[in-house]
Amino acid sequence: MAQILTARKLHAQYGAVKVLHGLDFDVEEGGITTILGANGAGKTTTLRAVCAMVKTEGEIHFGGQRIDGRGTENIVRLGVAHVPDGRGTFTHLSVDENLRLGAYVRRDKAQVEEDFERIYTYFPRLRERRRQQAGTLSGGEQQMLAVSRALMLRPRLMLLDEPSFGLAPRIVQEIFEIFREINRRDRVSMLLVEQNAALALKLADHAYLLETGRVVISGPADVIRNDESVRRSYLGY
Ligand code: ATP
């Protein structure tokens, strides 16, 4: 199957501090890849590197085009939507207004209106709260809003940074089921960063395990999930 995203010899640094040391990874078109690793392994930085939010070296291709060296907005316009950790919704704006901002680069205004409906079908709870200020939503609802805002871009690839963080298990389950549906129904490819390895390995088809900015293990998610020594040594469950 074709790759929608490939990174080769990817390095990243903050000032003089080097954080990624030559990563190679792929996301298949229509697939879900997860990047796992402990605190500080470089997972968040990997997503930031893809959308040019940190200084990088190496090659990144998206949809057949080379994207390293381009600006973040340019990469967003190609169809890469980033859902950052900490969610990053505009707390003083309503749910509707947050979604409208998600579509700011789009010109197909009629389809934007259709997408409101599509998204509110995925997340009926947001529809009920569409005029409510985002800052007053629960943690789970804010995460749903962050994902929805990214979907308003009609992305081909979503970069999801720890979407389970701080949420109750029941809500996490709900959100991950919706990820699966978005992936299958809308063919949105996903690159998912998670500390919750068990959860991520159930959703993903391919996994990479990072340790201090290097890939130490990679392979099909079900193989990694069923490898007891990997699980015990690296994943802690
Ligand atoms: P976590 O799960 O804790 O977010 P992570 O795997 O996502 O961990 P990163 O956030 O990518 O890890 O951080 C990797 C390394 O880069 C860490 O050592 C961190 O201290 C460092 N780092 C992250 N952001 C910055 C920054 N803005 N300036 C300097 N160093 C940073």
Side-chain angles (χ1 to χ4, degrees), residues 14 19 38-45 48 162 195:
Y14 297 101
V19 172
N39 272 327
K43 305 183 298 296
T44 294
T45 305
R48 288 195 187 137
E162 298 233 16
Q195 284 217 27

Side-chain angles (χ1 to χ4, degrees), residues 7-190:
R8 292 293 174 269
K9 296 193 170 58
L10 182 63
H11 293 254
Q13 62 192 86
Y14 297 101
V17 182
K18 299 193 170 176
V19 172
L20 302 182
H21 308 280
L23 303 188
D24 290 348
F25 63 88
D26 300 318
V27 179
E28 275 187 0
E29 174 103 58
I32 304 179
T33 290
T34 186
I35 296 185
L36 307 172
N39 272 327
K43 305 183 298 296
T44 294
T45 305
T46 304
L47 298 189
R48 288 195 187 137
V50 171
C51 48
M53 294 166 74
V54 60
K55 187 167 178 243
T56 64
E57 277 172 41
E59 283 195 20
I60 308 175
H61 284 85
F62 171 71
Q65 299 188 53
R66 190 155 175 191
I67 60 166
D68 55 278
R70 298 191 188 201
T72 300
E73 185 166 337
N74 189 298
I75 294 168
V76 170
R77 280 179 196 279
L78 289 177
V80 179
H82 185 207
V83 183
D85 54 349
R87 299 174 195 139
T89 54
F90 295 97
T91 51
H92 60 290
L93 298 181
S94 71
V95 168
D96 258 356
E97 287 164 339
N98 266 278
L99 292 188
R100 214 163 277 287
L101 277 178
Y104 81 106
V105 297
R106 289 176 54 183
R107 304 202 193 287
D108 50 339
K109 295 302 170 200
Q111 275 178 8
V112 167
E113 296 313 312
E114 276 174 29
D115 281 351
F116 267 97
E117 283 314 304
R118 194 168 57 92
I119 283 164
Y120 284 139
T121 307
Y122 282 131
F123 297 106
R125 222 138 16 119
L126 291 183
R127 189 198 297 276
E128 289 163 24
R129 290 161 176 69
R130 61 192 297 174
R131 301 200 201 294
Q132 200 169 313
Q133 273 201 343
T136 67
L137 300 176
S138 72
E141 289 159 359
Q142 289 198 29
Q143 185 63 60
M144 292 174 191
L145 180 57
V147 170
S148 301
R149 201 181 56 190
L151 281 174
M152 286 302 283
L153 193 72
R154 283 251 171 154
R156 293 177 66 197
L157 173 70
M158 279 178 107
L159 309 175
L160 297 161
D161 198 346
E162 298 233 16
S164 74
F165 186 78
L167 302 180
R170 191 174 47 81
I171 304 291
V172 170
Q173 209 62 46
E174 192 182 321
I175 291 177
F176 271 60
E177 274 161 27
I178 295 169
F179 287 159
R180 190 184 296 285
E181 220 177 304
I182 292 168
N183 169 255
R184 289 206 180 136
R185 211 194 283 177
D186 296 339
R187 295 269 302 159
V188 178
S189 309
M190 297 180 179

